[in-house]
Amino acid sequence: MAKKRKKAYEVGELDQYLFGQGNHYEIYKKLGAHIVKNGKTEGVYFAVWAPNARSVSVVGEFNDWDTQANPMEREEPLGIYTCFIPGIKQFDMYKYCIETYKGDLIFKADPFAFHAELRPGTASKVYDLSQIKWSDAAWMEKRKNWDHKKEPMSIYEAHIGSWKRHPGREDEGFYTYREFAKDAVDYMKYMGYTHIELIGIAEHPFDGSWGYQVTGYFAPTSRYGTPEDFAWMVNYFHRNKIGVILDWVPAHFPRDAHGLADFDGTPTFEYQDPRKGEHPDWGTKIFDYGKNEVRNFLISNALYWVEEFHVDGLRVDAVASMLYLDYGKQDGQWVANKYGGNKNLEAIDFFKHLNSVLLGRNPGALMIAEESTAWPMVTGPVEEDGLGFSLKWNMGWMHDFTEYMKLDPYFRKDNHNLMTFAMSYAYSENYILVLSHDEVVHLKCSMLNKMPGLGFDKYANLKVGYAFMIGHVGKKLLFMGQEFAQLREWSEERELDWFLLAEKEHQAVQNWFRDLLHLYKKNKALYEMDDSWEGFEWINADDRYRSIFSFMRHSKDGKKNLLFVCNFTPMEWADYRVGVPRRKQYKLILDSDEEQYGGNGRKKQPVYKAVKQECDGRPYSFAYPLSPYGVAVFEF
């Protein structure tokens, strides 16, 4: 008997083969719910992978959630269940009713759903992505030749639900994707950011997880609108020359009954052995990176955000927890690999595959690792046994920097190396310097309240710290609110304390950080040789007793170089002498003493001429009045 010929939208033999091999990079176009025409009849084609289920049916608004009304047909060899249901429309809600091997009925959201019901509801919604219109062709074309190693990147890490809210509304007052885009673009252009990194975009049931416990990997959260609204936001950022990065969470997923956990009544997406398949600290499940279909689910999801929604990069959360089998576990809670070690060989292969495919198909896109250990070659090429990421968060710098900044200035001289050590490994990876949301929650204090002292000292400390960060090698990331010295820790339950900008101290910090970002964007010396020893040079890395750091940043053509002097104590130096390489004129282009930055407003001469007087091991030098916690940036 001849086999029934498959329609174009149906899961075919080739689809099953590629999915089974882990190489079906657009499997989301076949699995999930898709509005199609079966002959002249319009409806929805459903397909779900549930290999150990006894049976599966589709339940929803359209059949009064009747478990018998729309049974699905099992396709071998992978156990994909499919059916076509006529008459279903956009936004109709549905779930899969799965009969487990034990005979229990469980109700699951669609792992490949493009849209989801607003929490606390947990159903999936039918959604057609083909209606989305784009007008960012110029940005997408330019992206193909964009090289992150040679371009500035100042990233504004933001959470839409707590950036701003509409006051007095009965609901939470969330900004929609479109409202957020319009306001955030204006603000970011004013401040001088190049990229926005959004946390909490993939659908998640619990606000307090900040989006790091995902139940809908293919669904932009419905808290702020539809997938079309999300696309409109990305499009709007691009038209205003701002790149969009999303936080992406392939490390783990929650146990929520409607989510991926024990999807068909057995560990489907997670490792079967709980010693490999569960995070005891987080109470979550760990993806089985050894299973081809699971790897395919994750890789196709990463490609989906970049290719369907034009996202410019993914920041991959909790990479270390994936690389180490014993991460966050005690003896007896983990299983060694086949060589007896603690490396997850399957996760390593997954990263190499993921980064090769995504960056190979999308030149100019970014893959960014949040990796907190000294794992080698995170941004090294896969061909040389690296993991193939574009950039890595510099967690070591962040830890040393915040520890130093918390110290009373009197004790900084004994911890001087905390600020210089990062330069000893600065070129081992392609780094981003980060002061992220993780540093301003859970009683860690806001950036301002990490600073020692009272009043003026707190604000001045923060400003000199930010100047050091912008001058240092590496791309930059700062979490929202810290650019104007938010007093309180961040909470997802309220908007930022924008009212603080009515106070001159907070306005001064914002002015300072704004002008630092514009300085960074304007001067190639601060970014075009971030991956080369030739781009950074200490003038004096050892002035520990005065806790002053001086260094130069060089441009490739040598025409426009910068000299930074940063004073980390309240001591004033009427004529701080700094060594310089040439007998040139040094033009003061940024001075923290200016009134708009909260300084004393004392006028300084605009240009300083170096004289032949040895200092800091250099043949020439000039003297400059350096104020308490003073910062001076010179161009030469």
Side-chain angles (χ1 to χ4, degrees), residues 57-71 85 88 92-95:
S57 64
V58 183
V59 296
E61 298 176 293
F62 42 83
N63 63 17
D64 292 329
W65 306 92
D66 181 352
T67 59
Q68 307 296 315
N70 295 107
I85 306 176
I88 297 180
D92 279 357
M93 289 196 289
Y94 70 97
K95 278 188 178 181

Side-chain angles (χ1 to χ4, degrees), residues 35-52:
I35 296 175
V36 297
K37 269 196 172 174
N38 186 0
K40 291 183 179 178
T41 308
E42 192 169 270
V44 172
Y45 178 74
F46 293 93
V48 63
W49 177 57
N52 296 308

Side-chain angles (χ1 to χ4, degrees), residues 405-596:
M405 294 306 300
K406 288 177 198 171
L407 291 169
D408 184 292
Y410 179 80
F411 297 108
R412 285 178 176 165
K413 62 182 181 294
D414 302 318
N415 294 272
H416 198 75
N417 64 305
L418 287 175
M419 294 295 262
T420 59
F421 179 61
M423 280 310 302
S424 68
Y425 61 83
Y427 305 106
S428 61
E429 302 276 7
N430 300 317
Y431 282 117
I432 301 179
L433 306 185
V434 293
L435 295 170
S436 74
H437 68 279
D438 274 331
E439 307 321 311
V440 294
V441 291
H442 298 325
L443 303 179
K444 291 181 187 173
C445 299
S446 66
M447 285 307 300
L448 181 72
N449 279 324
K450 290 184 200 298
M451 302 299 121
L454 298 167
F456 169 82
D457 289 77
K458 275 195 177 301
Y459 294 94
N461 263 297
L462 187 59
K463 282 180 282 192
V464 68
Y466 283 165
F468 185 86
M469 174 188 186
I470 296 298
H472 197 283
V473 169
K475 310 306 181 190
K476 325 296 174 190
L477 178 144
L478 187 68
F479 185 59
M480 64 181 196
Q482 309 314 306
E483 77 280 7
F484 61 79
Q486 170 98 6
L487 285 167
R488 295 190 287 180
E489 286 186 335
W490 171 59
S491 167
E492 80 286 348
E493 295 180 358
R494 58 174 185 258
E495 74 167 22
L496 297 179
D497 294 337
W498 294 100
F499 57 83
L500 291 173
L501 284 169
E503 299 176 19
K504 64 181 184 182
E505 297 90 348
H506 295 274
Q507 183 68 67
V509 174
Q510 188 193 46
N511 291 344
W512 179 243
F513 197 70
R514 175 199 66 205
D515 289 355
L516 282 169
L517 289 184
H518 285 287
L519 177 83
Y520 171 69
K521 273 172 73 175
K522 261 190 348 200
N523 288 275
K524 289 185 176 182
L526 289 173
Y527 59 78
E528 73 173 351
M529 290 203 290
D530 258 351
D531 60 345
S532 164
W533 285 102
E534 297 167 5
F536 180 98
E537 187 179 353
W538 287 111
I539 294 285
N540 193 338
D542 301 314
D543 195 353
R544 65 172 58 241
Y545 290 102
R546 292 187 290 188
S547 297
I548 296 174
F549 299 86
S550 51
F551 56 88
M552 294 182 289
R553 296 301 306 270
H554 298 296
S555 60
K556 200 172 266 186
D557 60 13
K559 287 179 181 172
K560 207 171 175 186
N561 308 295
L562 299 180
L563 163 63
F564 279 71
V565 181
C566 301
N567 177 9
F568 282 88
T569 74
M571 294 297 293
E572 183 170 7
W573 303 96
D575 56 350
Y576 183 80
R577 184 162 290 278
V578 59
V580 289
R582 290 188 287 282
R583 196 172 193 162
K584 295 278 186 184
Q585 290 191 331
Y586 293 78
K587 179 183 173 188
L588 180 62
I589 59 171
L590 195 64
D591 176 16
S592 61
D593 260 359
E594 289 187 26
E595 278 186 36
Q596 63 165 325

Side-chain angles (χ1 to χ4, degrees), residues 163-380:
W163 188 66
K164 283 184 181 176
R165 292 197 180 181
H166 296 289
R169 288 213 323 218
E170 285 184 15
D171 62 7
E172 292 97 340
F174 290 143
Y175 272 42
T176 65
Y177 289 119
R178 295 175 189 244
E179 290 169 331
F180 173 76
K182 288 175 184 173
D183 278 13
V185 159
D186 290 345
Y187 185 67
M188 289 177 67
K189 285 166 88 168
Y190 168 72
M191 289 297 293
Y193 292 101
T194 65
H195 290 72
I196 190 163
E197 180 178 315
L198 295 170
I199 68 175
I201 292 300
E203 193 59 82
H204 51 285
F206 176 50
D207 290 12
S209 80
W210 312 329
Y212 290 103
Q213 297 202 5
V214 177
T215 49
Y217 274 81
F218 289 81
T221 178
S222 52
R223 287 166 177 80
Y224 320 123
T226 66
E228 185 176 11
D229 295 328
F230 174 75
W232 190 96
M233 176 185 73
V234 175
N235 193 70
Y236 191 77
F237 276 117
H238 285 173
R239 290 188 56 141
N240 284 278
K241 299 183 171 55
I242 293 172
V244 180
I245 299 165
L246 297 189
D247 264 19
W248 187 60
V249 192
H252 63 135
F253 55 91
R255 299 167 179 269
D256 294 63
H258 68 286
L260 298 178
D262 292 317
F263 185 76
D264 63 7
T266 67
T268 312
F269 288 88
E270 65 268 47
Y271 283 109
Q272 192 159 5
D273 186 333
R275 292 174 299 170
K276 287 183 80 175
E278 295 181 7
H279 271 304
D281 284 355
W282 300 339
T284 53
K285 300 279 194 176
I286 301 171
F287 283 104
D288 183 346
Y289 308 108
K291 202 179 278 183
N292 287 345
E293 295 89 345
V294 173
R295 283 206 305 272
N296 200 151
F297 171 80
L298 290 170
I299 292 171
S300 72
N301 181 244
L303 288 164
Y304 166 80
W305 292 110
V306 172
E307 295 179 358
E308 299 294 330
F309 283 110
H310 297 195
V311 165
D312 301 294
L314 299 174
R315 175 268 194 186
V316 184
D317 182 59
V319 168
S321 74
M322 299 168 66
L323 293 173
Y324 296 98
L325 293 162
D326 58 348
Y327 186 91
K329 296 179 179 180
Q330 307 296 321
D331 288 348
Q333 291 183 328
W334 63 283
V335 186
N337 65 31
K338 62 185 178 183
Y339 303 115
N342 68 340
K343 294 179 179 178
N344 188 332
L345 306 176
E346 294 159 348
I348 296 167
D349 285 344
F350 164 73
F351 281 132
K352 291 177 178 179
H353 187 176
L354 165 72
N355 291 328
S356 300
V357 170
L358 191 142
L359 299 175
R361 283 170 60 128
N362 300 281
L366 295 166
M367 291 297 288
I368 302 166
E370 188 232 355
E371 203 285 311
S372 54
T373 72
W375 189 281
M377 300 275 287
V378 171
T379 58

Side-chain angles (χ1 to χ4, degrees), residues 21-45:
Q21 294 295 307
N23 298 326
H24 198 318
Y25 301 130
E26 296 179 357
I27 189 64
Y28 58 84
K29 292 182 177 177
K30 290 299 182 81
L31 297 183
H34 300 277
I35 296 175
V36 297
K37 269 196 172 174
N38 186 0
K40 291 183 179 178
T41 308
E42 192 169 270
V44 172
Y45 178 74

Side-chain angles (χ1 to χ4, degrees), residues 117-132:
E117 186 183 7
L118 178 63
R119 54 99 180 91
T122 58
S124 301
K125 285 186 172 184
V126 173
Y127 199 85
D128 180 14
L129 293 181
S130 67
Q131 66 192 4
I132 292 172

